[in-house]
Amino acid sequence: MAGSTLASPTASAGAPARKPVSPGLEAWRRFRKHRLAVASAVVLSVVVLAVLFGPLFWTVAIDEIDFSATLEGPSWAHPFGTDDLGQDLLARMLYGGRISLAVGFAAMAVAVFVGILVGAVAGISRGSVDAALMWLTDLFLSLPQLPLLLLIIYLFRDTLREWVGPEMGVFILIVLVIGSFGWMPVARLVRAQFFSLREKEFVEAARALGASTPRLVIRHILPNALGPVIVAGTIDVAAAIIAESTLSFLGLGFPPDIPTWGRLLFDARDHLDFAPHWALFPGGAIFLTVLTINFVGDGLRDALDPRRVL
Amino acid sequence: MTEDDLRQLIGRVKRGALSRRGFIRRMAAVGLTAPMATQLLAIAGAAPAASQSLPAYTPTQRGGGQLKILYWQASTLLNPHFATGTTNQDASRIFYEPLANWAPDGTLVPLLAAEIPSVENRTLAEDGRSVTWKLRRDVKWHDGEQFSADDVVFNWEYARNPATAAVSIGSYRDIEVRKVDDFTVRVEFARPTPFWADAFVATRGMLIPRHLFKDYVGGTSRDAPANLRPVGTGPYRFESFAPGDIVRGTANTSYYMPNRPFFDSMEIKGGGDAVSAARAVLQTGEYDYAWNLQVEDEILKRLEAANRGRVNVVEGGNIEFIMLNQTDPWNEVEGERASIKSTHPSLTDPAVREALSLLVDKKSIEDHIYGRGGPAASNFLNNPPRFRSENMKWEFSIAKANEILDRAGWARGRDGIRAKGNVRLRYVFQTSINAPRQKTQAVIKQAASRCGIDIELKSVTASVFFSSDVANPDTYTKFWSDIQMYTTTMTQADPQLFMNQYVSWEISSQENKWQGRNIVRWRNEEYDAAFRAAEGELDPVKRAALFIKMNDLVVGNHVVIPVVRRPLVSASLNTLVSPLSGWDSTIAFLYNWHRTA
Amino acid sequence: MTQYVLRRLLIAIPSLLGISVILFTVLALAPGDPFEELATNPAVPPDVRAALRASLGLDDPVHVRYFNWLFAMLRGDWGYSFVSRIDVDDLILQRLPTTLIVIGSSQILALMIALPVGVYAATRPYSIFDQIANTLAFIGFSLPTFFTGILFILFFSIYLDWLPFVYRSDIPGSGLPWFWEHVKQSIMPIAVLGLFQGAAWTRFVRSAVLDVIRLDYVTTARAKGLAERVITIKHVMRNALIPVVTLVALSMPAVFGGAIVTEQIFRVPGIGSLLITAILANDTPVIMAVTFVVSILVILFNLLADVLYGWLDPRISYR
């Protein structure tokens, strides 16, 4: 991205003249051309729809203990098999998927939003604002997460529980916590890109034309800095789903009887050599989600890159 | 059989009029198990004092190579007087030894003592006010210095000094220790003390050398170089130590017991998790022994199938149990939740408590969660066998629980939850985070929901739940919920410290900063009286009967619900002979550990 | 330039002070206390516990404890572990070599995977190689290390019986067999960490290179007839390195801080396991020392990254 003149579409000379379209529509047209991205978007929507509406069709209770059917492999009665208490894994996966996906996306949104905000402001301004924001970033990077988590949850759990109920309260806490520990890399990435981009000719040009700083940032610099951010954001979804499982393990996440995907994977790990199906499905679900999100991310990136011709 | 009959029979055994075997047979006829009958004889002084329950030591020479032990928790220090947790106590035990060890059957085995004190030898005062220990004369510290009575007296002075900040202070500050001669010491008590084997015995009795620690008593205790380089009397000498990681020792070739120790060197590696520790012994044989495997039995059984090692289950007194709060945890009385001045709206009703006790499916919990590591328990006080009540039985019956609640007037509401007046049977059930505990919670919740009782599960990080942090609302001693479950440990083969958990003067409250031991906050005059009587009762048989009565009171009133006993589960390679005792450290009998061909 | 670095270093001092205040307050307010095991032990009377707390200064007000800590730290006294009852610097020094070797090698491994694979994949976007590399990368970072660790143990230690899975920091012996033992036991922890990190980095490198590779100056270089290899290395890589440098700088403090989960699984006595044990036992002096060193490293490496940006792209100005 760094070190170039303002790019012009390299093949535009020979292209037939097209009716001008709005950038949004243009991006959509480009996105549709990216076949993997479209397929991934479809698969991702199927996963999301399944966890949203699946429990309506698969009505087995998630906590029905059946000691006569423990650690069973997939069968018609239990398509994903059962865990060590004989609970149906499909039902648990569908239920847990809602939480895992919601946590993943929401935490990613928080991290990316805060990260871009801090990174962009630090990157475009110099001197004391940059120093102060980097101070904040360094602070967050060096805070020990575990005691801080203990403290946050201990301080706010009861208050939030009164406001929005136990499950929603824990959800908000976890999203905030994971999000607030995930924005620093995004911020530093964006800032680094800004350092480089703000010296570029096209920015100089825009500035010379009298563009205000916000316009400069939003219209000119930010779109060019989004590449690494999209990658970071898509990785953040995976990181958030995994971080939630670590939190659950430490007793800071959802109550242990709520089967999030990360939690299922964690519970399954000691039985890996005897009951691989238990780990296979949640692991596969996380992988599928990450895979599709990343391809969608790639598609978006290419679609938003004005230099590419598709 | 009355107490008098029993006494007469024991007298006949003592006089030789009745053989010990004959006595045991008669006891069996009235329903007493053989170990219990042996116990009765032992405590009445009619059996050899030394334990019969240890396997024989067969090797005739040393040189057994390396012994590798795996703990999933690592030791952090090597001074036994500072050793807070089991891991630290065990690591210190490699190098330091007490006067006597507790054998698996709850009797004493002499180590640095020449013999176990007894009334017959006149080393145990009849009034229970003193005990005289005779020491071995052939013991040398690892640096060659002679071990003597001065060392024993020194340990008392060292630990009782508050400035030393020793955690063993509780065992030493209320006694007086006198040197009688170079190899005899006398421990004197202020009051008649039926349980005299605390100071200088087992975990809290490990002795450190006077010549290396004498300049480090009190405030300077932390500066002693020997804190990190122990010099003891044990079977292995100190080699190296990395806190939180590994401790290593080499054979003490001048050990006072013949042909011991068997191994040339040994190490305890710490850290990791219990399942992979079990794998390292049972599946790959990388290690010889893995400590405290709190792992689902299902997994252990599958690992054992590799046929490389075996799982050891050693009975002790630890028990996983449920407490039913007797005070109201949700409303403040005089600014205090669960105040002793309040009463719980429903759990003070015996019918509700009985119903709850019928809803704990101990059989399933044993079969599917704990396995050999948690046999279903009907008593709170289970071991040593002489203190175990035969009167308590448990049952799992949802139908019966429903019937009891119906009869007591707890009717199901429209949402299926039982209520009486405006009191509804809804409870918060808390415990620490630990996979088997969460599963047990789930099993109980399911049974309760079929009986019209709604249970909300709560689990707290172990380091918070078990902390003594006054500011935290989630600690187990505060018990600001209706029901809670955890394991209470019995650290000695005597129940006195263990059974003070229900006396009224130990009630946990704001006033004592929730340091009281009676966490369930139950008050019962009969229990208090029995406990007071046991404290000063020197007759072992009567004393045992008093503790059995206390157990029956607390369990029979369903104030607590015993769930499963928690014997210590560990794994050894098939070739390793590793004598273990539920009443003492894993390492206590290390001098006898050896390998068979 | 020098002036810029000096200024940043001067700013770092109040930063570190501020960070230490916040750290200390958080630790003081966080629930739990270092005498958990005493609390469940019936043989330890409550007043002994109270005396012990007092003797370690736990009952003093937070600000008093903070200043005690600060002045001791300024004198080079890192504090005294509540749990191990020895000096904290001894504890940390004991674990530093292992941490540096294991975590350091894993980061190098991650870079060695990420750079070539990422660059090569970006030069041929959507080729078979790119697709495979991407899929492997997705698998890499969608499986948590606690899971891949167990997977490795099951396969390499239990099924194949090739590698030991308990890490021993002091293997007796010397020479080649000793070295070989060390290598054998380090393979799995390094691989688990390196692959996880490498997978994510591969994606970043690929994305960064893709951004650069289509720019006009690269086309120009190609038009000049330069070899593809030269273009990639001299023209593309250097400009694509800014995000990479940022990420590497972010992960360097972790080389010191260790990796909690992986260290736990393979029983590597690193600083991560020291920190987690200290946190669970509420051993404040140890937590304070480790996190404080980590924050110093965070600040230093981020400063280093900022300086490197200028070297990679001379147009970046420091004002």
Side-chain angles (χ1 to χ4, degrees):
Chain A
M1 167 136 325
S4 78
T5 51
L6 179 59
S8 58
T10 42
S12 62
R18 256 199 327 265
K19 197 162 54 161
V21 287
S22 76
L25 267 179
E26 173 66 12
W28 170 235
R29 190 189 66 80
R30 290 155 162 273
F31 183 79
R32 269 181 320 182
K33 290 241 171 121
H34 199 300
R35 249 179 296 155
L36 255 176
V38 175
S40 295
V42 171
V43 173
L44 191 61
S45 333
V46 169
V47 173
V48 172
L49 289 177
V51 300
L52 279 183
F53 300 109
L56 297 179
F57 303 100
W58 188 255
T59 50
V60 178
I62 61 160
D63 51 0
E64 179 69 32
I65 295 166
D66 179 5
F67 284 126
S68 63
T70 56
L71 289 181
E72 280 184 0
S75 64
W76 283 116
H78 303 287
F80 282 10
T82 58
D83 65 9
D84 58 341
L85 288 181
Q87 305 177 108
D88 182 66
L89 281 175
L90 175 57
R92 289 173 83 75
M93 289 259 321
L94 290 175
Y95 184 88
R98 293 184 187 182
I99 296 170
S100 286
L101 287 181
V103 165
F105 283 112
M108 180 265 278
V110 172
V112 168
F113 179 74
V114 177
I116 289 182
L117 194 70
V118 171
V121 172
I124 198 70
S125 42
R126 293 152 202 261
S128 56
V129 177
D130 177 36
L133 285 175
M134 282 308 107
W135 183 83
L136 192 73
T137 317
D138 290 347
L139 173 70
F140 267 83
L141 280 171
S142 54
L143 280 180
Q145 304 196 6
L146 229 53
L148 202 66
L149 288 179
L150 272 169
L151 182 71
I152 293 172
I153 289 179
Y154 158 70
L155 289 178
F156 300 113
R157 185 173 54 194
D158 287 344
T159 332
L160 272 175
R161 179 186 291 236
E162 273 167 33
W163 273 9
V164 286
E167 214 161 295
M168 195 60 199
V170 174
F171 178 78
I172 293 178
L173 271 183
I174 285 180
V175 167
L176 286 182
V177 160
I178 296 179
S180 61
F181 278 115
W183 61 266
M184 296 84 74
V186 179
R188 282 203 68 93
L189 280 170
V190 171
R191 171 173 169 272
Q193 293 283 41
F194 267 56
F195 270 16
S196 166
L197 288 169
R198 73 183 185 203
E199 313 292 347
K200 292 275 144 54
E201 293 84 347
F202 72 91
V203 177
E204 289 297 330
R207 197 174 284 133
L209 285 172
S212 66
T213 309
R215 185 181 161 82
L216 211 56
V217 170
I218 293 168
R219 299 286 300 198
H220 298 277
I221 304 182
L222 197 55
N224 283 295
L226 277 183
V229 173
I230 290 176
V231 176
T234 48
I235 289 181
D236 270 353
V237 177
I241 293 177
I242 291 166
E244 186 278 321
S245 70
T246 319
L247 284 185
S248 298
F249 171 63
L250 293 169
L252 302 171
F254 293 95
D257 48 344
I258 294 184
T260 62
W261 288 350
R263 173 105 216 155
L264 286 173
L265 198 57
F266 189 85
D267 287 344
R269 97 209 138 115
D270 287 337
H271 300 264
L272 203 56
D273 38 353
F274 314 118
H277 68 271
W278 188 358
L280 200 66
F281 291 109
I286 297 179
F287 169 63
L288 199 65
T289 311
V290 169
L291 186 81
T292 49
I293 290 175
N294 276 283
F295 280 136
V296 172
D298 276 3
L300 276 180
R301 213 184 66 116
D302 291 350
L304 293 177
D305 183 352
R307 287 186 298 267
R308 289 208 61 191
V309 179
L310 287 162
Chain B
M1 183 170 291
T2 67
E3 197 192 311
D4 273 346
D5 298 337
L6 198 60
R7 222 161 267 294
Q8 277 183 4
L9 274 179
I10 293 175
R12 284 173 61 195
V13 177
K14 270 186 178 173
R15 289 191 304 274
L18 175 68
S19 74
R20 290 178 51 211
R21 189 179 295 170
F23 174 80
I24 291 170
R25 211 178 293 131
R26 289 204 193 187
M27 289 294 105
V30 294
L32 261 98
T33 57
M36 190 163 172
T38 323
Q39 284 301 309
L40 276 176
L41 288 178
I43 54 184
S51 170
Q52 313 281 306
S53 58
L54 284 168
Y57 183 76
T58 49
T60 51
Q61 57 187 30
R62 300 176 182 174
Q66 201 183 15
L67 172 68
K68 290 165 85 186
I69 298 176
L70 200 51
Y71 272 46
W72 50 260
Q73 236 172 29
S75 54
T76 52
L77 50 82
L78 290 178
N79 182 333
H81 289 290
F82 296 153
T84 42
T86 319
T87 40
N88 288 331
Q89 290 162 352
D90 288 2
S92 312
R93 198 69 171 268
I94 303 172
F95 313 109
Y96 295 115
E97 296 181 309
L99 294 184
N101 282 349
W102 285 109
D105 58 1
T107 57
L108 288 171
V109 181
L111 214 60
L112 294 179
E115 61 179 41
I116 297 302
S118 65
V119 182
E120 288 74 52
N121 294 342
R122 300 179 178 278
T123 42
L124 202 57
E126 298 223 15
D127 62 358
R129 284 173 180 272
S130 76
V131 51
T132 306
W133 291 94
K134 295 212 163 96
L135 310 179
R136 283 185 83 111
R137 289 159 190 267
D138 53 356
V139 178
K140 294 237 175 0
W141 296 101
H142 291 159
D143 59 1
E145 295 274 330
Q146 174 71 36
F147 164 77
S148 76
D150 291 323
D151 290 308
V152 180
V153 175
F154 170 76
N155 272 272
W156 164 66
E157 285 165 350
Y158 180 86
R160 74 195 293 244
N161 185 338
T164 307
V167 298
S168 51
I169 186 171
S171 302
Y172 292 95
R173 63 176 174 178
D174 298 329
I175 59 171
E176 294 287 323
V177 178
R178 305 256 175 273
K179 174 181 171 182
V180 178
D181 62 44
D182 273 354
F183 294 98
T184 314
V185 289
R186 191 168 65 239
V187 179
E188 295 169 359
F189 308 105
R191 290 180 301 156
T193 304
F195 182 64
W196 46 266
D198 183 23
F200 306 123
V201 172
T203 300
R204 276 190 294 283
M206 280 180 263
L207 297 171
I208 56 174
R210 176 172 179 274
H211 62 279
L212 292 178
F213 282 94
K214 63 174 188 276
D215 299 329
Y216 301 101
V217 183
T220 53
S221 62
R222 64 155 86 163
D223 302 324
N227 280 344
L228 288 170
R229 303 192 59 83
V231 173
T233 58
Y236 294 91
R237 287 169 202 269
F238 175 76
E239 165 106 10
S240 69
F241 176 51
D245 180 26
I246 196 169
V247 53
R248 296 171 54 201
T250 46
N252 172 11
T253 44
S254 49
Y255 194 55
Y256 53 87
M257 285 197 240
N259 302 327
R260 295 175 176 94
F262 179 75
F263 297 98
D264 296 319
S265 64
M266 62 98 50
E267 65 175 49
I268 298 184
K269 164 84 185 176
D273 62 295
V275 176
S276 71
R279 286 189 194 278
V281 172
L282 298 173
Q283 266 188 321
T284 65
E286 222 176 308
Y287 276 75
D288 294 298
Y289 178 88
W291 163 83
N292 194 8
L293 300 177
Q294 293 182 356
V295 176
E296 280 157 71
D297 205 29
E298 197 67 18
I299 297 178
L300 285 181
K301 278 186 184 144
R302 289 186 159 133
L303 298 182
E304 259 182 309
N307 235 345
R308 279 189 125 130
R310 61 172 192 277
V311 167
N312 313 303
V313 180
V314 180
E315 280 280 349
N318 300 355
I319 182 157
E320 178 88 12
F321 71 116
I322 292 169
M323 282 183 171
L324 305 177
N325 202 338
Q326 295 301 295
T327 55
D328 184 353
W330 306 114
N331 295 302
E332 290 190 359
V333 172
E334 293 174 12
E336 182 181 355
R337 280 170 76 178
S339 155
I340 189 61
K341 297 196 176 75
S342 66
T343 52
H344 195 282
S346 57
L347 287 176
T348 42
D349 180 347
V352 175
R353 293 203 303 262
E354 192 182 352
L356 280 169
S357 76
L358 286 164
L359 293 174
V360 180
D361 187 356
K362 298 177 192 177
K363 174 103 179 36
S364 292
I365 293 171
E366 175 186 338
D367 287 353
H368 299 285
I369 300 173
Y370 288 98
R372 287 166 292 177
S378 26
N379 290 305
F380 181 70
L381 176 57
N382 290 286
N383 273 319
R386 60 179 177 269
F387 297 112
R388 187 185 298 162
S389 166
E390 300 289 321
N391 312 323
M392 295 292 116
K393 296 276 174 282
W394 71 269
E395 190 183 355
F396 169 63
S397 166
I398 294 175
K400 235 182 203 173
N402 268 320
E403 196 181 301
I404 289 171
L405 289 174
D406 285 337
R407 215 181 317 128
W410 295 93
R412 282 180 196 260
R414 211 177 310 148
D415 52 359
I417 296 171
R418 291 178 185 271
K420 184 150 85 177
N422 52 8
V423 181
R424 281 156 46 94
L425 297 188
R426 298 194 60 151
Y427 300 118
V428 174
F429 181 5
Q430 72 177 14
T431 188
S432 75
I433 307 252
N434 172 305
R437 289 208 173 112
Q438 269 70 65
K439 287 178 186 160
T440 309
Q441 277 186 316
V443 170
I444 294 170
K445 178 180 174 164
Q446 176 167 302
S449 71
R450 294 192 178 146
C451 194
I453 300 174
D454 184 49
I455 291 183
E456 180 191 333
L457 301 183
K458 176 178 172 189
S459 43
V460 186
T461 324
S463 66
V464 171
F465 190 66
F466 292 116
S467 80
S468 58
D469 187 352
V470 176
N472 199 296
D474 290 335
T475 63
Y476 79 116
T477 54
K478 280 202 172 140
F479 193 9
W480 286 354
S481 72
D482 304 291
I483 305 173
Q484 72 177 0
M485 174 173 70
Y486 63 92
T487 289
T488 186
T489 54
M490 188 168 171
T491 50
Q492 297 165 318
D494 184 89
Q496 186 164 316
L497 258 179
F498 186 67
M499 293 304 278
N500 75 353
Q501 297 189 49
Y502 305 103
V503 295
S504 60
W505 57 90
E506 278 285 345
I507 285 181
S508 173
S509 68
Q510 192 163 32
E511 200 188 332
N512 56 30
K513 291 190 180 162
W514 296 279
Q515 305 270 25
R517 295 254 295 146
N518 184 349
I519 293 163
V520 71
R521 297 168 187 130
W522 178 64
R523 272 161 301 181
N524 183 294
E525 280 173 20
E526 213 180 333
Y527 190 97
D528 287 356
F531 188 85
R532 290 239 193 258
E535 268 186 315
E537 180 57 68
L538 290 172
D539 184 325
V541 179
K542 273 192 188 161
R543 190 159 171 270
L546 284 168
F547 281 115
I548 288 175
K549 180 180 176 187
M550 286 179 233
N551 170 75
D552 292 357
L553 278 170
V554 70
V555 177
N557 278 311
H558 310 293
V559 180
V560 299
I561 307 167
V563 183
V564 288
R565 302 201 298 275
R566 297 305 312 275
L568 196 68
V569 177
S570 57
S572 304
L573 281 189
N574 281 333
T575 53
L576 182 75
V577 179
S578 48
L580 298 165
S581 163
W583 304 109
D584 210 328
S585 154
T586 296
I587 302 300
F589 296 96
L590 182 65
Y591 59 88
N592 271 351
W593 286 33
H594 61 274
R595 218 189 287 282
T596 55
Chain C
M1 186 66 202
T2 325
Q3 214 186 352
Y4 173 78
V5 173
L6 273 179
R7 203 175 60 215
R8 284 286 298 266
L9 283 176
L10 276 179
I11 295 174
I13 295 172
S15 301
L16 282 173
L17 275 180
I19 288 174
S20 74
V21 172
I22 295 175
L23 281 177
F24 207 92
T25 322
V26 165
L27 291 180
L29 292 179
D33 88 66
F35 303 109
E36 177 206 332
E37 287 189 275
L38 293 189
T40 48
N41 186 343
V44 181
D47 54 306
V48 173
R49 231 176 297 158
L52 206 56
R53 281 184 69 96
S55 80
L56 292 172
L58 279 173
D59 291 337
D60 299 337
V62 181
H63 61 274
V64 174
R65 279 156 59 194
Y66 174 72
F67 284 113
N68 285 343
W69 174 85
L70 185 66
F71 291 132
M73 195 78 182
L74 290 178
R75 281 196 315 267
D77 174 5
W78 292 43
Y80 177 75
S81 161
F82 296 159
V83 173
S84 293
R85 300 210 184 186
I86 59 168
D87 289 330
V88 173
D89 42 348
D90 288 343
L91 270 180
I92 293 181
L93 285 179
Q94 221 159 20
R95 284 160 179 262
L96 201 55
T98 312
T99 318
L100 291 183
I101 291 172
V102 174
I103 316 290
S105 324
S106 73
Q107 303 289 319
I108 292 172
L109 176 70
L111 265 184
M112 279 169 42
I113 294 174
L115 277 181
V117 174
V119 170
Y120 191 79
T123 51
R124 286 157 189 75
Y126 304 106
S127 64
I128 298 283
F129 178 86
D130 185 33
Q131 307 281 15
I132 293 175
N134 274 323
T135 312
L136 287 180
F138 295 142
I139 295 179
F141 61 79
S142 62
L143 289 180
T145 44
F146 70 73
F147 192 79
T148 35
I150 304 277
L151 216 58
F152 272 49
I153 289 180
L154 283 179
F155 190 69
F156 291 108
S157 299
I158 288 164
Y159 181 68
L160 292 176
D161 206 4
W162 283 356
L163 303 169
F165 65 92
V166 177
Y167 190 97
R168 298 169 70 215
S169 51
D170 60 342
I171 295 172
S174 60
L176 213 59
W178 172 84
F179 181 74
W180 176 233
E181 279 298 308
H182 265 289
V183 170
K184 256 169 69 177
Q185 66 176 1
S186 311
I187 291 177
M188 285 201 293
I190 292 177
V192 164
L193 269 178
L195 293 179
F196 186 72
Q197 188 73 272
W201 283 358
T202 306
R203 294 283 301 160
F204 280 107
V205 171
R206 176 181 176 276
S207 153
V209 172
L210 263 184
D211 276 341
V212 177
I213 209 155
R214 287 197 202 87
L215 296 185
D216 292 347
Y217 80 96
V218 179
T219 318
T220 313
R222 206 170 276 139
K224 279 198 306 192
L226 289 178
E228 196 64 23
R229 217 164 55 93
V230 178
I231 297 172
T232 311
I233 292 172
K234 284 195 72 171
H235 296 256
V236 176
M237 284 264 279
R238 182 162 173 172
N239 280 301
L241 271 180
I242 285 188
V244 178
V245 165
T246 311
L247 289 166
V248 171
L250 282 178
S251 68
M252 277 303 130
V255 173
F256 170 81
I260 291 174
V261 176
T262 316
E263 287 181 18
Q264 182 87 355
I265 292 172
F266 296 101
R267 297 179 167 78
V268 180
I271 288 176
S273 73
L274 177 69
L275 181 65
I276 185 76
T277 331
I279 287 173
L280 292 179
N282 296 291
D283 195 352
T284 324
V286 177
I287 310 177
M288 214 38 222
V290 173
T291 48
F292 194 62
V293 174
V294 170
S295 35
I296 293 176
L297 292 178
V298 165
I299 289 179
L300 275 183
F301 275 101
N302 283 345
L303 173 58
L304 195 67
D306 285 351
V307 172
L308 276 179
Y309 296 157
W311 177 74
L312 288 169
D313 185 347
R315 273 171 305 184
I316 290 177
S317 58
Y318 296 101
R319 275 172 286 188

